[in-house]
Amino acid sequence: YVIVADVDKEAATAVADGITDAGGEAVAAATDVTDPSDVAAMIETAEEEFGPGDILVNNAVINERKGLIDITIDEFDRTLETNLRGTFLCTREAAKSMKKTVAAESSISLLRRPVMLVVRIKSHMRPPSRVFSILLDQQQKRFQKIIYG
């Protein structure tokens, strides 16, 4: 069970259709990861379709292939917004959803369908993701999986 989120609805739909064609269940969500309301709506869609999340694949990133001298301020700002703020917003909202699963599992033991939230744009990132993992660990919350890559 997958929510495929992309700023480009057609790209998200193509990926979701591929998953469905292969026998899985997937829903596309047009999501601007820099917009808190879009991210909250994506997580809400995931919960409505499949229940609280179990896994987040946090892969929304812009990778400007320009040198320090050539990158514009607007490109730099857009990169930071997507790569840092987007990672933070998706991680925060997914953690809220996953916390619901942890709370339910601590009082009731039952098998659940795993839900994967996929946030996709183009490339890979790591450092901000590690920061958010540390922050979650410091809160001593047990989450199923948060995957960055």
Side-chain angles (χ1 to χ4, degrees):
Y1 305 95
V2 181
I3 299 295
V4 180
D6 195 313
V7 69
D8 179 349
K9 175 71 173 190
E10 289 179 17
T13 300
V15 172
D17 289 347
I19 292 168
T20 302
D21 292 346
E25 291 187 39
V27 175
T31 306
D32 176 353
V33 297
T34 68
D35 181 343
S37 61
D38 267 18
V39 173
M42 183 242 328
I43 298 296
E44 185 177 315
T45 298
E47 289 182 342
E48 287 172 359
E49 293 289 328
F50 308 117
D54 295 315
I55 299 169
L56 170 66
V57 177
N58 210 347
N59 196 35
V61 70
I62 293 176
N63 188 4
E64 292 290 348
R65 299 206 182 263
K66 294 184 177 181
L68 177 65
I69 295 170
D70 298 323
I71 193 166
T72 68
I73 294 297
D74 287 340
E75 290 168 334
F76 178 77
D77 288 345
R78 185 172 56 105
T79 299
L80 281 181
E81 283 285 303
T82 301
N83 297 2
L84 187 57
R85 178 186 172 110
T87 299
F88 166 74
L89 292 173
C90 291
T91 302
R92 182 182 68 177
E93 293 304 315
K96 290 177 188 177
S97 180
M98 292 176 190
K99 185 177 177 181
K100 295 173 186 175
T101 302
V102 172
E105 287 178 355
S106 65
S107 60
I108 301 171
S109 177
L110 55 110
L111 295 174
R112 293 186 10 82
R113 303 182 305 178
V115 177
M116 179 181 291
L117 309 171
V118 178
V119 182
R120 175 197 160 276
I121 292 184
K122 292 243 189 274
S123 186
H124 300 288
M125 68 177 299
R126 299 216 193 281
S129 303
R130 296 240 185 256
V131 171
F132 297 132
S133 292
I134 291 166
L135 291 173
L136 288 172
D137 289 343
Q138 287 175 348
Q139 291 182 352
Q140 297 179 343
K141 303 290 185 206
R142 184 178 66 82
F143 296 103
Q144 303 272 342
K145 283 258 190 229
I146 297 180
I147 300 170
Y148 303 99

